[in-house]
Amino acid sequence: MRLLPASLLLAALGGCAAVAPSAPWQPDQGDGTYRNPVLHADYSDPDAIRVGDRYYMTASSFNYVPGLPLLESADMVNWQLVGHALPRLVPEAAFAAPQFGKGVWAPCLRWHDGRFWIFYPDPDHGVYVITAEKFAGPWSTPHLLLPGKGIIDPTPLWDDDGNAYLLHAWAKSRAGINNLLTLRRMAPDGRSLLDMRGRDIIDGNRLPGYRTLEGPKFYKANGYYYVFAPAGGVAEGWQSVFRARAIEGPYEDRIVMDQGSSAVNGPHQGAWVRNADGRDWFLHFQDKQAYGRIVHLQPMRWVDDWPVIGGDSGRPQIGQPVAQHTKPVAGDGMAAPPSSDDFSSPALGLQWQWNSNPQADWHSLTAHPGMLRLTTRAAPAARDYVRGAPILSQKVPAPAFTVQTHVRWHNAVDGDRAGLIVDGMQYAWLGLRAAGGRTQLVYTECGPFVMRCTESTEVLLADSPSAVHLRLDWRDGASVQFAYSTDGQSWVPAPRAFAAYPGRWVGATLGLFSIGTAPHGGYLDVDYFRVTR
């Protein structure tokens, strides 16, 4: 009998509380305090709410499938991944192959009228709405509320008088404009808009020093309409808040958190959440390059009906990120999103995502029970660019960790490749290649850091066994050392360490693949994917 790791047992039980003391990253310090980030993984553009005594979060997922991760917590520190709201990207045909940086941008999560709602933008198609009675799903089919290019970062507000509104930002790459927030009237059922033109209520171009104003979140409290919105760019931005007595303005503005003297660059874009005891908190991201946009939790206080987010910065109106703090509530114990997988479950672990809409025959967990089988996919477009092929991947889970796996190749023909990859706009992989009727063990790097890099491959074993152990050691700072073993005991390092790079609007990912140039029935069996500190 094979025992499920704790992370997989959590997924199998549908998100029940789990102790995760051996998780690659643990923010809970076990003494009533936490350290930031609360998620050292690429859950970018987070939005979160409280319903009863539980906290719920979703985040951007771009071209990764399934999309819109669903995270749940009892304390805003220990987060469990309980599912995804979007099984496939729509329109489906548009995502049959990887579309780097496209797909699901910054979503908004709300609880209204006894249901969970997610409003999410696709910058090339428009704003979609999905709903669910239970957070873990099932979620409704995406409804295109607002078609158009460059319409991003939607946030709804249902007002006290029964009227409903949608506020959103603009992506200059598609719309030709940005630094602007536009308000539209919406039907209360979220199925249609009553005002297609809308009104620009906050214009960052008229505010000194503002650039890239986006990512708004709409709230009403204290007799004001509040718009929490970041500005200044992904890596260097700050968090602003705008307030007005009337929904259309005029809005006053104030910067309420920036980096200050902390080590956290660009702290911004996220969610205001109020505890049952009335205390306020703010979840936001920090761009950490190859690690992606990791999630921090800040205390929030009020001064003259203005929020101040984070710790004391020496400036009375502006906070700065805290490195550690007392937990919001005691919670249910330690938990973390899964990373390791022994493939003994009938379904892939919740941590796994494809880089495009997958087909049913891309993988199997029943063909050889206890193993993951990856079908060797014909991907002519990936002949010298593995990133263009189907890759099964997961987020980088911690500052430093080790990944180890064991793979077995079957029915390989010349041109086939399979292995372990650190994927990004500049990537590296270690694995097997069929050439000249032989199986080779090879190490490949692809650079420079551009939309389509150029591969360079070195043969490490000219005659390799078809079953090998592969490992990578990810060091703090995103330096990655690959290694291989033919017996699982003696390890041989790849020729040099690789500097991991982010993808398009995402961090690097850890992945497995098996590709060829023509369909022929080959496949890769994977015994396990083990992630340790």
Side-chain angles (χ1 to χ4, degrees):
M1 178 180 177
R2 301 181 73 186
L3 296 178
L4 283 171
S7 58
L8 294 184
L9 181 60
L10 167 62
L13 294 176
C16 298
V19 177
S22 61
W25 176 257
Q26 182 52 256
D28 194 325
Q29 300 301 280
D31 59 0
T33 67
Y34 71 91
R35 62 173 174 169
N36 271 317
V38 291
L39 286 165
H40 203 295
D42 189 22
Y43 291 100
S44 62
D45 309 317
D47 197 22
I49 59 174
R50 178 180 61 87
V51 180
D53 61 355
R54 306 295 291 180
Y55 301 90
Y56 303 93
M57 184 194 299
T58 191
S60 301
S61 50
F62 297 95
N63 59 291
Y64 288 90
V65 184
L68 289 170
L70 302 172
L71 298 112
E72 184 174 344
S73 176
D75 57 11
M76 284 191 281
V77 172
N78 295 279
W79 289 95
Q80 307 164 24
L81 182 62
V82 299
H84 292 81
L86 195 60
R88 300 179 70 79
L89 292 170
V90 295
E92 288 216 15
F95 296 94
Q99 303 294 318
F100 306 118
K102 299 183 180 181
V104 179
W105 285 23
C108 184
L109 173 64
R110 291 292 179 263
W111 171 260
H112 171 71
D113 197 26
R115 288 183 290 166
F116 292 96
W117 301 65
I118 295 178
F119 289 68
Y120 77 87
D122 180 316
D124 298 299
H125 297 99
V127 172
Y128 293 90
V129 181
I130 57 176
T131 63
E133 293 183 3
K134 297 180 179 179
F135 184 65
W139 287 76
S140 63
T141 300
H143 168 67
L144 184 57
L145 171 65
L146 175 57
K149 282 186 172 290
I151 303 168
I152 60 169
D153 307 346
T155 176
L157 186 141
W158 289 272
D159 211 343
D160 303 329
D161 59 6
N163 290 317
Y165 300 87
L166 185 75
L167 182 68
H168 66 83
W170 297 90
K172 191 169 186 178
S173 60
R174 273 75 164 183
I177 56 173
N178 73 338
N179 211 24
L180 187 69
L181 303 182
T182 300
L183 179 71
R184 303 171 192 259
R185 289 193 61 200
M186 180 179 73
D189 64 2
R191 301 294 294 180
S192 61
L193 292 178
L194 308 179
D195 173 10
M196 291 303 296
R197 169 62 187 90
R199 178 176 177 178
D200 301 332
I201 61 169
I202 301 175
D203 187 348
N205 299 297
R206 297 183 177 183
L207 300 174
Y210 271 72
R211 61 189 188 280
T212 322
L213 176 66
E214 57 189 11
K217 293 295 182 288
F218 220 166
Y219 307 99
K220 188 177 183 181
N222 310 327
Y224 288 97
Y225 295 91
Y226 288 98
V227 177
F228 285 54
V234 171
E236 302 85 18
W238 61 85
Q239 184 66 39
S240 288
V241 168
F242 302 82
R243 74 177 190 183
R245 292 292 187 182
I247 196 165
E248 292 186 348
Y251 280 84
E252 307 170 84
D253 66 281
R254 180 174 288 186
I255 295 174
V256 298
M257 179 177 62
D258 61 17
Q259 179 172 351
S261 60
S262 78
V264 180
N265 61 291
H268 67 275
Q269 189 155 345
W272 165 24
V273 182
R274 174 163 287 173
N275 271 9
D277 64 7
R279 290 182 299 157
D280 293 304
W281 300 82
F282 190 74
L283 288 148
H284 67 91
F285 76 69
Q286 171 201 7
D287 181 77
K288 202 173 175 184
Q289 300 178 345
Y291 294 94
R293 290 180 247 182
I294 60 178
V295 181
H296 292 244
L297 174 65
Q298 305 297 337
M300 188 174 112
R301 64 188 187 277
W302 293 87
V303 177
D304 298 328
D305 289 331
W306 284 101
V308 179
I309 298 174
D312 183 15
S313 68
R315 299 162 294 170
Q317 298 178 351
I318 306 175
Q320 67 181 24
V322 299
Q324 59 185 21
H325 198 273
T326 304
K327 290 174 59 177
V329 293
D332 293 339
M334 296 184 184
S339 49
S340 295
D341 201 337
D342 69 357
F343 305 117
S344 60
S345 171
L348 282 170
L350 295 176
Q351 68 268 37
W352 295 108
Q353 294 174 291
W354 294 94
N355 56 358
S356 59
N357 279 332
Q359 301 302 316
D361 62 350
W362 284 10
H363 85 280
S364 173
L365 289 161
T366 58
H368 188 157
M371 289 190 180
L372 166 67
R373 178 162 293 179
L374 294 178
T375 306
T376 301
R377 305 305 307 165
R383 184 184 300 273
D384 57 354
Y385 185 63
V386 163
R387 196 164 187 242
I391 296 176
L392 182 65
S393 62
Q394 61 172 278
K395 303 176 189 300
V396 173
F401 55 92
T402 293
V403 173
Q404 187 171 324
T405 187
H406 181 244
V407 299
R408 307 179 190 192
W409 216 12
H410 302 268
N411 304 333
V413 300
D414 280 9
D416 289 356
R417 286 159 293 161
L420 174 66
I421 187 170
V422 172
D423 192 19
M425 288 175 66
Q426 187 163 310
Y427 63 81
W429 65 272
L430 176 68
L432 301 171
R433 178 178 73 176
R438 295 198 223 174
T439 296
Q440 302 173 336
L441 190 137
V442 300
Y443 174 66
T444 297
E445 291 184 356
C446 192
F449 180 70
V450 292
M451 280 301 292
R452 186 182 175 106
C453 53
T454 301
E455 287 190 346
S456 174
T457 297
E458 298 176 54
V459 177
L460 306 185
L461 289 178
D463 285 292
S464 172
S466 58
V468 292
H469 300 264
L470 304 174
R471 189 181 79 197
L472 67 84
D473 294 311
W474 183 297
R475 300 158 182 163
D476 200 353
S479 174
V480 181
Q481 180 65 60
F482 285 89
Y484 70 90
S485 173
T486 57
D487 59 9
Q489 301 296 321
S490 301
W491 290 90
V492 180
R496 62 196 158 275
F498 170 73
Y501 282 77
R504 181 68 169 166
W505 303 127
V506 299
T509 58
L510 314 170
L512 297 162
F513 67 92
S514 182
I515 60 172
T517 57
H520 61 78
Y523 57 91
L524 182 76
D525 279 342
V526 185
D527 287 321
Y528 54 83
F529 192 91
R530 191 173 298 140
V531 183
T532 56
R533 291 186 179 182

